Amino acid sequence: MPAVRYPFPDLNSLPTDIRERILQVQDKAGFIPNVFLALARRPAEWRAFFAYHDALMLKEEGSLTKGEREMIVTTTSAANQCLYCVVAHGAILRIYEKQPQLADQVAVNYRKADITPRQRAMLDFAMKVCQRSHEVEDADFALLHAHGLDDEDIWDIAAITAFFGMSNRMASFSNMLPNPEFFTMGRQPRTAG
């Protein structure tokens, strides 16, 4: 595969706050996801990116689960043909949902995935925002309300879709490739010990 277009900065050359956050991620995951290093070449943008990422993906409010948030990312990233985000967020989706096949299903064709009607409505809306946001209308809100999603949940779906649309484009243009570890994460149950 072709090399990344923008070489990663040396971890030791990064500002302390960024280096510490990256090392925390490494301690938790066992490796440094390439996105953390790829974006660190511009510290102000790195901070803004991860602040918004965390606000969207780690929030406790609303009815969307962490798994559903990752489902949105995986589905819309597949539509945007972003290899990095499909593989990385698909791995996180498999772990959160404890369903090894789910990420592959939603990445290839969410309409045939083993998901609930509520999740199908959520992904239908996310795909509309992803591909035809200018066509969103009040009827879309009514359908989501009928599935128990409120206006703040709908904002979250749209914001996650839009944020990762930007992320997809940054990863694709820079040729950011997924870490090999992501390909196998969540495919087999963890063994105790």
Side-chain angles (χ1 to χ4, degrees):
M1 297 191 93
V4 65
R5 291 190 175 98
Y6 293 85
F8 298 160
D10 178 73
L11 184 62
N12 295 317
S13 71
L14 297 175
T16 303
D17 62 317
I18 294 174
R19 184 173 58 252
E20 288 176 357
R21 170 83 186 271
I22 290 173
L23 291 173
Q24 288 172 351
V25 169
Q26 182 181 31
D27 286 344
K28 183 175 181 183
F31 65 100
I32 300 172
N34 288 338
V35 67
F36 283 87
L37 291 172
L39 298 181
R41 62 187 308 278
R42 292 190 170 190
E45 293 174 28
W46 187 98
R47 290 180 186 104
F49 179 92
F50 284 105
Y52 197 42
H53 170 278
D54 293 353
L56 290 172
M57 300 303 286
L58 303 179
K59 72 184 284 186
E60 299 294 329
E61 303 85 21
S63 73
L64 298 181
T65 67
K66 287 182 180 178
E68 288 171 336
R69 291 169 191 279
E70 296 296 341
M71 200 179 297
I72 293 165
V73 177
T74 304
T75 302
T76 60
S77 294
N80 290 328
Q81 299 183 43
C82 179
L83 178 63
Y84 184 90
C85 291
V86 169
V87 173
H89 290 276
I92 300 167
L93 171 58
R94 287 190 297 271
I95 290 167
Y96 281 154
E97 294 295 315
K98 297 177 179 50
Q99 294 183 46
Q101 73 288 351
L102 185 58
D104 296 331
Q105 290 176 353
V106 299
V108 173
N109 185 350
Y110 74 93
R111 290 177 184 91
K112 295 185 179 200
D114 186 18
I115 57 176
T116 67
R118 175 185 180 272
Q119 291 167 336
R120 167 74 187 268
M122 173 190 77
L123 294 179
D124 283 342
F125 182 71
M127 288 298 290
K128 189 169 189 177
V129 170
C130 178
Q131 298 175 322
R132 304 177 327 278
S133 61
H134 60 283
E135 294 179 12
V136 171
E137 56 192 3
D138 291 344
D140 297 310
F141 282 70
L143 179 62
L144 292 167
H145 291 157
H147 284 281
L149 295 156
D150 66 21
D151 287 347
E152 295 306 312
D153 296 324
I154 295 167
W155 180 286
D156 285 343
I157 296 165
I160 291 165
T161 300
F163 175 77
F164 280 95
M166 183 271 296
S167 180
N168 297 159
R169 284 154 180 81
M170 294 300 292
S172 293
F173 107 89
S174 66
N175 202 39
M176 187 189 316
L177 300 174
N179 302 67
E181 294 88 345
F182 282 128
F183 288 95
T184 57
M185 288 172 57
R187 293 200 185 271
Q188 296 294 325
R190 285 185 134 170
T191 56

